[in-house]
Amino acid sequence: MSDEGFVSFGEQGAQLTYGSYLRLPQLLDAQHLESDPAAHDELLFITIHQVYELWFKQLLHEVTAARDAMLEGERLWWAQHLLQRVHVIERTLVQQVDVLETMTPQDFLQFRQQLAPASGFQSVQFRELEFLSGARDPAYLERFRGITDVERARLERRLAEPTLWDALLAVLRGHGLAAGTDEEAAASLRAVAHDRSQYAVVWALAEALLQHDELAAGWRARHVVMVERMIGDKSGTGGSSGSAYLRSRVPLRYFPVLWELRSAL
């Protein structure tokens, strides 16, 4: 019996370690403070935002796979499973604000000046998530500063590819329901809502998308309150209006037809 490909668990002769698998030397060397003398809370600020970007990467991975499964129409249970994971991650994003709020405004002001003109507005992955969810606004590409050609190409690709809403429309059509216009989709979703026994998976996916929308709105609302607590009505480090801009984004809805459905039931 050949032992080719056999893996022996344990540390004897191991080539892959916990640290090498997770690239810990590179990961733990990615937090470089700009303040001098070093402000104690700058490490916390950097760590939290790097963790956010890791979660954004995971969300893009899950949302893209869920969308593709819905477009294919063959593994709708898998899409529903992935969207449930998305919900758990999004709740984690909101909870992480609590950690950031252990930093006082005075502590933040010790290094805030060193951040300019960097800004959370420049998070390419966050914009990818918004575009993929349906909030596609080409004007963002004109307002972005300091992003690379590769990052700009990623955003342009997201603007061109199908959204989660497009995927839900494909699911409706796959079940013999009209979805050529928002009006047709709304009528089909009303039919789905009134016959959940026949359209159980369609209803579950529609509700999963609405939950994604609600959790994203909850994160934006929690974020703006945190910013107001930290800097009041000061302008953002990237030149935006700060909390005023963030508050203007709170009412954003990815799937307005799903919200309007509530009034039509």
Side-chain angles (χ1 to χ4, degrees):
M1 178 178 176
S2 171
D3 63 355
E4 183 178 353
F6 176 74
V7 176
S8 177
F9 290 92
E11 295 186 2
Q12 293 78 13
Q15 294 183 353
L16 186 68
T17 68
Y18 176 82
S20 64
Y21 178 64
L22 297 178
R23 306 293 193 271
L24 288 184
Q26 299 93 321
L27 180 65
L28 298 178
D29 189 44
Q31 298 77 41
H32 298 275
L33 278 58
E34 294 292 332
S35 55
D36 186 18
H40 178 84
D41 280 6
E42 190 178 359
L43 177 60
L44 173 67
F45 187 85
I46 293 172
T47 300
I48 285 288
H49 286 83
Q50 288 182 342
V51 170
Y52 269 127
E53 289 297 327
L54 288 172
W55 281 130
F56 292 160
K57 180 177 182 177
Q58 189 68 37
L59 284 172
L60 284 168
H61 181 63
E62 307 297 356
V63 169
T64 301
R67 178 207 59 191
D68 291 347
M70 292 167 69
L71 288 171
E72 293 164 5
E74 296 179 358
R75 295 201 301 164
L76 299 183
W77 64 269
W78 176 244
Q80 186 180 351
H81 167 71
L82 296 179
L83 289 171
Q84 293 297 326
R85 179 180 293 165
V86 165
H87 302 159
V88 176
I89 294 173
E90 288 173 328
R91 292 188 182 97
T92 301
L93 297 183
V94 176
Q95 293 169 351
Q96 284 184 183
V97 177
D98 292 340
V99 181
L100 195 56
E101 282 193 334
T102 63
M103 178 175 61
T104 67
Q106 300 94 311
D107 293 332
F108 183 40
L109 288 173
Q110 288 182 7
F111 62 90
R112 183 173 184 259
Q113 287 299 114
Q114 279 71 46
L115 301 182
S119 169
F121 183 85
Q122 297 164 337
S123 172
V124 172
Q125 291 195 116
F126 182 74
R127 294 303 170 193
E128 285 188 81
L129 276 169
E130 290 202 326
F131 291 174
L132 187 54
S133 297
R136 295 190 290 193
D137 184 356
Y140 275 117
L141 294 180
E142 304 304 320
R143 294 197 288 269
F144 266 92
R145 297 292 182 270
I147 62 173
T148 66
D149 291 341
V150 172
E151 290 172 329
R152 186 171 296 276
R154 278 167 43 197
L155 289 171
E156 290 172 346
R157 177 172 59 83
R158 293 295 185 186
L159 281 172
E161 67 186 30
T163 66
L164 283 171
W165 177 246
D166 295 325
L168 183 62
L169 296 181
V171 172
L172 289 173
R173 288 191 290 267
H175 284 75
L177 297 164
T181 65
D182 282 353
E183 291 73 19
E184 287 182 351
S188 294
L189 286 165
R190 284 197 299 273
V192 167
H194 290 300
D195 192 356
R196 286 176 289 171
S197 60
Q198 180 178 353
Y199 299 111
V201 68
V202 182
W203 177 253
L205 287 169
E207 287 294 277
L209 293 190
L210 193 79
Q211 184 73 55
H212 165 52
D213 202 346
E214 182 178 352
L215 289 167
W219 184 85
R220 290 191 298 270
R222 184 72 179 86
H223 184 217
V224 68
V225 171
M226 181 271 294
V227 170
E228 289 172 340
R229 174 174 173 170
M230 286 291 175
I231 65 170
D233 61 359
K234 293 185 180 76
S235 62
T237 50
S240 73
S241 57
S243 64
Y245 165 75
L246 294 174
R247 192 161 289 282
S248 73
R249 300 287 292 173
V250 171
L252 174 66
R253 295 263 169 101
Y254 294 149
F255 314 110
V257 174
L258 292 179
W259 291 100
E260 292 163 5
L261 175 63
R262 269 63 193 160
S263 300
L265 291 179

